Amino acid sequence: MSVFHIAKIVLRSLFSKPATGMYPFKKREYYLSTRGSIQNDIESCIFCGLCSKKCPANAIEVSRNDKQWSIDRFRCVTCNACVEACPKKCLVMKNTYTAPATIKSVDKFTKSAESQQ
Amino acid sequence: MSERMVIPFGPQHPVLPEPIHLNLVMEDEKVVDVLPSIGFVHRGLEMLVKKKDFNAYTYVAERVCGICSYMHGMGYCQAIENIMGIEVPERALYLRVIGAEFSRIHSHLLWLGLCADAFGFESLFMHTWKLREQILDIMEEITGGRVIFSAVKIGGVKRDLDEAMLTKILDILNDLEPQIKEISSVFIESVTVRHRLEGVGVLSTEDAISTGAVGPMLRASGVSQDMRKLNYAAYGQLDFDPIVEKNGDSMARCKVRIREIFQSIDLIRQAVKKLPQGTIDTPFKGNPDGEYFARLEQPRGEVIYYVKANGTKFLDRVRVRTPTLANLPALVKVLKGCDLADVPILVLTIDPCISCTER
C-alpha cells in the first residue's frame, strides 16, 4: 500500500506548521559562524595591505597615503582570507549579509583625522 | 523501417538547469543514437592558476562546483599537501571526513528531490528538499557557508568543532535518520516511482567498465569501486564497505544513493566517536615543486585533481577530471534504445553537474 505511504507524510505536513519561514515578517536568524559581510574597525587599521594581497577576488583596496580602506562588496566572496591575515585583528566577519542594491558601489572607510596623530 | 529524425534536447531543458545539449536520433519513439555536446558554460577556472597564487586557488577550486565544493577544495589541498610533504594532523583529517560526508548527504538528497521532480512527483520533491535544508543549516553552523564552505585549507581545516557542536551533530543525525528512512521508503516502494525507474536504462557491468563510468553509476551496475577505499583523509580508520547494487537500472542508481546517505550518516557517527584531540592545521613555508594526482570519491563519483607545480607561488597546471565527464559515455550508452519519455530521467540518473564538467 505504498500510495498511502506518501499520503501519510503529506497529510502530516498539511496539518503542521509550514516548513518554510514567513519571510518578511520573520527574518531568518544567522549562526554565529555565518560568513555574512566584512567589517573594518578603521580606527585600529594600520593600512598594511595584507588583506588586499590575500584577497582571492581582488575586492579590497588599501591606500596608505589617504588612510583609506575600501571594499567592493560585489566582488567579495566572503572567504574569510582577509580576516585570517589581518595582523591587528581589526577586520571582522559579521554574520549578517549586506543589503541588496540596485547600483554597484564600493564601501570606503577613511581613518578620522584625530586618530591619525 | 521508419524515417529517422533528430530531436534536440537542451541546452535548456526543464529537467536540469544546466546546459547540456543532446541530439537525439529517433526512430519513432525510440532513441537510436545520441550526440552529446557540452561547452556552454566554460569558465576557464583551470587557467586561473596563472593569476592566483596556490593558496588563493583553494577558493577557486571550491567554486568549480556548488554542490561538492567541500570535496573540490579537499582534492586540491590533498594534491598540494602531497607535493609539499605536509603532514596533516589527525584531527583535521577526521573533520574533513565529517564535512565531506555531510556534503554527500546534501548532494544525494538534492538528487533524490530532482529525480522526484523529473518524474513529476512534486510533493516528494518538496519533502526531500525539506530534509536537505537541515543539512545545509548544520553545514552553515559548522563552516560558515551554506554552499561554498571555505573550510579546507592547505595543511588542515579552518574551523574546529567543540564538544557541544559534536553532540549537536549527533542529535541532528538521530533526528534526521528516521525522516530520511521514511522518505526513501517512498522511493523504493511507491508504485509510481517504480514504474518510472525499474528496468529503465540498464547499464550492464561490462558496459559500465568499458565506458569508464564512475561513482554510483558504476556501483549500481555491480562494480565495487569506491575511491574512499584508497584511504585518503581518515577513511582508512573508518569501517565501511562500498555500496553495490546488481541491476544497473535507474532504480539501482537510486538505491545506491539512498543507501549511501545512511552510510554517510554512519561514517559521520564513527568519525565523531573517534575524533582525536590535537591541532587542526600544520603551518608550512615555501612553494610546491612537483606533480601529483589526487583521487577522491565525490557524491557523483571519482574526481581527479592533477597539479603540477614549479617551485614558484604560481602553479604550472591544475587539471580536474570531474565525475560527470566520466559518466557521459555511459549516459550515451544507456540512452540508446530508450523511449523519448525516459530521456530526462536517464540524463538525471548520472547526476549531471555540467558546470563541474566544463569548469
Side-chain angles (χ1 to χ4, degrees), chain A residues 12, chain B residues 102 105 109 130-135 137-138 166-183 261-262 265 269:
Chain A
R12 202 189 313 129
Chain B
F102 265 124
I105 302 176
L109 282 175
K130 189 183 98 184
L131 301 179
R132 171 178 169 257
E133 198 58 32
Q134 296 180 41
I135 303 283
D137 280 349
I138 188 90
L166 293 174
T167 334
K168 194 172 177 187
I169 287 177
L170 291 180
D171 286 348
I172 284 181
L173 287 181
N174 287 342
D175 177 46
L176 264 178
E177 198 176 11
Q179 294 186 55
I180 298 176
K181 214 166 244 165
E182 192 178 27
I183 211 84
I261 295 177
F262 296 110
I265 293 177
R269 284 197 182 123

Side-chain angles (χ1 to χ4, degrees), chain B residues 202-227 244-246 248 253 295 302 321 325-331 333-334:
Chain B
V202 179
L203 184 70
S204 66
T205 311
E206 297 76 44
D207 286 344
I209 294 169
S210 67
T211 52
V214 291
M217 188 86 179
L218 181 64
R219 290 196 287 277
S221 296
V223 184
S224 168
Q225 192 197 61
D226 193 325
M227 288 308 135
V244 181
E245 288 280 339
K246 291 271 175 285
R253 281 162 228 151
R295 302 171 82 190
E302 177 198 357
R321 206 293 313 271
L325 187 74
N327 276 334
L328 279 179
L331 171 69
K333 189 91 198 168
V334 295

